[in-house]
Amino acid sequence: MKQWIIFILAVSSSFCAAQEMNRTAPDYESIKTLIAQDDEHNYQKLLSRFQDADSTLTKEEYDLLYFGQYFQPDYHPYKTYNTELIKLYRENNIEEFIKQGEESLRKNPFDLRLNCCLMIAYEDLGDEINFDRVSRKFYAMVEAIGMSGDGNSSKTGFHVMNVSDEYVVLNILGFDSKSQRVVDSCDYHELEENDIDLKGIYFDVSKIFEASNKLFK
């Protein structure tokens, strides 16, 4: 697990460093316009490059991909990998988990939890090439979230596109959620006791709310 631990420490450090940088909430209208154009920012073109783990994708393009999923017809705010995959992972059936996990990612490429589990699985097999491939995408998505706010208030919450992403971020940062409640357009997680005495973190779920309302109309 050495490579995995080093990776998580690097992601956590980068995520925390982003807190001190210029954080900007996603401009969803601008994203919608950009990804609809038939140029290098076209969503399907970016998605194809993402699926191929194109190392030339920029931070801005990863932002378009992660937040731009909201505007795709197949976007579902609560979509995550299925119970059969969870069973395979818990039973340590690594090779079959990887096979089915990769198939699932073709349908739901931004599932942070599944990407995270696949990284661990590839490390367990000593497959550095695929570990690097998956971790590059995972890192970029986490960075997109980390630069979207500071998590300190309901006005500056980290923007997420799936509720399960909140728990992935909390785990990376080493926090456990004590309770969760809705505050304005955010999920607020009250945290268990921690070394820095942080009381809670806000995640902006406004787009999740909007998508949910559309689903039930």
Side-chain angles (χ1 to χ4, degrees), residues 6 12 19 33 35 68 103:
I6 292 173
S12 179
Q19 306 258 62
T33 300
I35 63 177
E103 291 176 0

Side-chain angles (χ1 to χ4, degrees), residues 27-163:
D27 183 343
Y28 289 101
E29 286 306 311
S30 176
I31 290 172
K32 181 180 180 181
T33 300
L34 283 171
I35 63 177
Q37 297 176 2
D38 189 21
D39 59 13
E40 69 274 13
H41 292 139
N42 176 268
Y43 196 83
Q44 293 306 315
K45 292 180 181 179
L46 289 176
L47 183 60
S48 178
R49 292 171 61 196
F50 179 85
Q51 296 280 30
D52 292 336
D54 186 344
S55 61
T56 66
L57 281 167
T58 66
K59 177 195 176 302
E60 289 72 21
E61 289 171 332
Y62 275 113
D63 287 350
L64 292 176
L65 280 161
Y66 181 76
F67 298 114
Q69 64 181 291
Y70 171 77
F71 300 104
Q72 306 313 301
D74 60 348
Y75 169 66
H76 193 297
Y78 302 104
K79 183 166 59 176
T80 186
Y81 65 94
N82 61 38
T83 54
E84 185 62 28
L85 274 175
I86 295 173
K87 181 179 178 181
L88 289 171
Y89 182 76
R90 290 176 175 171
E91 291 177 348
N92 206 33
N93 191 344
I94 300 301
E95 292 186 358
E96 186 61 27
F97 169 74
I98 287 175
K99 177 183 176 181
Q100 294 190 29
E102 289 287 2
E103 291 176 0
S104 181
L105 277 188
R106 300 300 297 184
K107 301 175 183 177
N108 188 19
F110 305 108
D111 187 333
L112 283 187
R113 184 179 294 171
L114 180 52
N115 275 278
C116 184
C117 292
L118 277 170
M119 282 191 296
I120 299 174
Y122 279 125
E123 185 187 23
D124 288 344
L125 292 182
D127 188 339
E128 293 187 9
I129 293 176
N130 279 310
F131 176 89
D132 291 341
R133 173 180 61 84
V134 179
S135 64
R136 184 187 309 123
K137 295 188 289 185
F138 178 81
Y139 177 90
M141 288 187 285
V142 171
E143 184 181 23
I145 295 171
M147 291 300 293
S148 68
D150 59 21
N152 291 329
S153 74
S154 61
K155 293 183 178 180
T156 60
F158 296 120
H159 286 244
V160 292
M161 306 307 294
N162 190 299
V163 172

Side-chain angles (χ1 to χ4, degrees), residues 177-195:
S177 178
K178 183 177 181 179
S179 65
Q180 179 270 327
R181 66 179 184 272
V182 175
V183 178
D184 298 328
S185 61
C186 287
D187 280 345
Y188 174 73
H189 287 265
E190 182 182 356
L191 303 178
E192 296 283 3
E193 185 176 344
N194 54 79
D195 292 339

